[in-house]
Amino acid sequence: MGQVRCVLDWLPPWLAKWKREAIRDHQRYNSKFEQMFSSAKDASGRKNNLASGICATVLKPGARHNLSDHELAWLAATLFTAGYETSSNTLTWSMYFMILFPEIQARAQEQLDQVVGKSRLPTFADAKHLPYIWAIIKEMLRWRPPLPIGIPHATVADDYYEGYFIPKNSIVIPNIWSINRDPEGYDDRIEDFYPERYLDCDGNLKDALDEGHFAFGFGHRSCVGRHVANNTLFVDIATILWAMKIEPVKDAHGKSIVPSIDDERTDGITLHPPNCQFTCTPRFDEVDMILQQARDDILKSMRYLQE
Ligand code: HEM
């Protein structure tokens, strides 16, 4: 609030409740982040740097760049918070889309059955053979970007854009929602959820290198985690759809309950899907055993790291 309404920024904290709350929150987060980072650092030292995780990952390059523990704690926390909310939000949207568009779910599962089969989980090695999963991810991030108005930025110098004067220190809010619906950039089914827009007539991605949307922002400060995000979404969504049929719950008369897209919610800058309930049913007999095996392998490797 203080940033957007500049006059209010001059008020001292004792007159401005939001400033007192910001100072209190900063102290709270600071001690939490420093405490979490220091225990991860201790654990990492005990295990001869075998530990995985964000804190362990920033330690080595942090030393090279002379970053203090305070800076490293905030770096790890920034990566975690920026990546967690956006990625988990997109995954939640993906569950909602699968009950809203059962024919899209079925088409994705048909491709998974052809490429992966039923005796193993999908892996990153399957990525280039599963264009329909990528098309779904692109369309999810185009149609319902988790941050529809991005992150506000400030201009550092006077500027002009298409004849408009933008004075130095202006706050600029990117309208990602609208850019993702630019009639010049997309075909005439702009308001539809239509993953096929990214595919050619053979079902391959028209342009694998083009993101196809602006959900990650643009320019110098665009999302640094976009590749982690895309790859995480790929392996998560491919695994979920390989393993389960996702269906809406039914009412007492056997009618599916699918909340309207108009019931989507926002908490300020993040867009959330409507509250919905769904069932997940294994698609074939081997699913349970293969998932348990994968879980055991992960737990075993985590125990190895903790020893
Ligand atoms: C679906 C997932 C994600 C979406 C939609 C998303 C979206 C965004 C957007 C819109 C911005 C602001 C860009 C701008 O100001 O122009 C941003 C910044 C950022 N994102 Fe992501 N993000 C996602 C996942 C991640 C992940 C997984 C990480 C970390 C591993 C991450 C780390 C960051 C960081 C550190 C910034 C600040 C970059 C800067 O200011 O220079 N994001 N993200």
Side-chain angles (χ1 to χ4, degrees):
M1 187 174 174
Q3 270 183 336
V4 178
R5 305 183 65 185
C6 298
V7 182
L8 296 177
D9 206 22
W10 293 99
L11 291 177
W14 61 272
L15 269 179
K17 186 168 171 279
W18 75 91
K19 280 193 174 180
R20 291 198 300 278
E21 285 171 355
I23 292 167
R24 185 203 58 204
D25 285 350
H26 178 264
Q27 284 164 347
R28 205 153 50 94
Y29 285 126
N30 194 42
S31 65
K32 186 89 198 148
F33 295 162
E34 288 190 343
Q35 178 203 335
M36 288 169 87
F37 178 75
S38 116
S39 60
K41 187 178 171 187
D42 290 350
S44 170
R46 280 200 304 277
K47 278 172 274 163
N48 295 329
N49 285 334
L50 269 178
S52 59
I54 297 180
C55 290
T57 308
V58 297
L59 263 172
K60 247 191 189 161
R64 201 167 62 236
H65 294 288
N66 276 334
L67 296 183
S68 66
D69 278 6
H70 169 76
E71 288 165 323
L72 285 171
W74 276 85
L75 174 60
T78 304
L79 286 172
F80 177 77
T81 46
Y84 167 74
E85 170 68 13
T86 44
S87 303
S88 63
N89 177 275
T90 313
L91 263 186
T92 318
W93 271 108
S94 76
M95 296 293 100
Y96 174 67
F97 291 146
M98 291 306 119
I99 61 167
L100 200 57
F101 307 113
E103 67 291 352
I104 290 177
Q105 179 180 173
R107 185 171 171 189
Q109 284 163 339
E110 198 183 308
Q111 190 165 83
L112 282 159
D113 290 346
Q114 280 166 8
V115 173
V116 181
K118 296 188 174 172
S119 58
R120 65 170 180 87
L121 288 175
T123 69
F124 288 116
D126 300 311
K128 56 178 177 301
H129 306 297
L130 293 168
Y132 199 63
I133 301 289
W134 286 112
I136 291 177
I137 293 169
K138 286 171 186 286
E139 185 66 342
M140 283 187 337
L141 292 168
R142 184 197 73 85
W143 206 54
R144 286 297 183 277
L147 302 173
I149 52 164
I151 305 282
H153 287 276
T155 50
V156 291
D158 289 351
D159 204 355
Y160 284 90
Y161 180 73
E162 295 198 345
Y164 291 98
F165 174 58
I166 306 173
K168 181 179 171 177
N169 292 330
S170 299
I171 289 175
V172 180
I173 298 175
N175 191 344
I176 290 176
W177 178 275
S178 276
I179 301 169
N180 279 356
R181 284 162 172 72
D182 181 356
E184 284 186 21
Y186 302 95
D187 58 27
D188 55 357
R189 297 188 59 177
I190 289 169
E191 284 306 332
D192 292 346
F193 185 81
Y194 182 49
E196 284 76 6
R197 75 176 74 252
Y198 296 106
L199 302 173
D200 63 20
C201 51
D202 296 321
N204 296 316
L205 283 175
K206 283 180 191 158
D207 186 348
L209 296 179
D210 179 25
E211 205 94 67
H213 58 79
F214 292 88
F216 294 118
F218 28 78
H220 290 307
R221 301 300 296 269
S222 74
C223 177
V224 288
R226 67 207 307 156
H227 300 300
V228 177
N230 277 326
N231 288 330
T232 309
L233 288 171
F234 166 77
V235 84
D236 287 351
I237 291 173
T239 304
I240 291 169
L241 293 181
W242 172 87
M244 296 179 289
K245 184 165 186 187
I246 300 149
E247 291 170 296
V249 292
K250 296 191 167 52
D251 66 15
H253 308 287
K255 196 170 165 284
S256 295
I257 308 170
V258 182
S260 160
I261 187 86
D262 296 333
D263 293 337
E264 60 198 348
R265 301 158 294 126
T266 175
D267 58 11
I269 61 164
T270 314
L271 190 63
H272 300 272
N275 280 323
C276 65
Q277 288 185 314
F278 50 84
T279 58
C280 297
T281 320
R283 292 183 54 236
F284 42 92
D285 291 345
E286 296 81 0
V287 164
D288 211 30
M289 190 261 295
I290 296 173
L291 285 179
Q292 280 194 36
Q293 178 69 50
R295 189 203 56 182
D296 290 350
D297 288 349
I298 291 170
L299 290 177
K300 218 187 287 168
S301 64
M302 281 170 69
R303 266 199 296 275
Y304 166 68
L305 289 174
Q306 280 160 9
E307 275 161 11

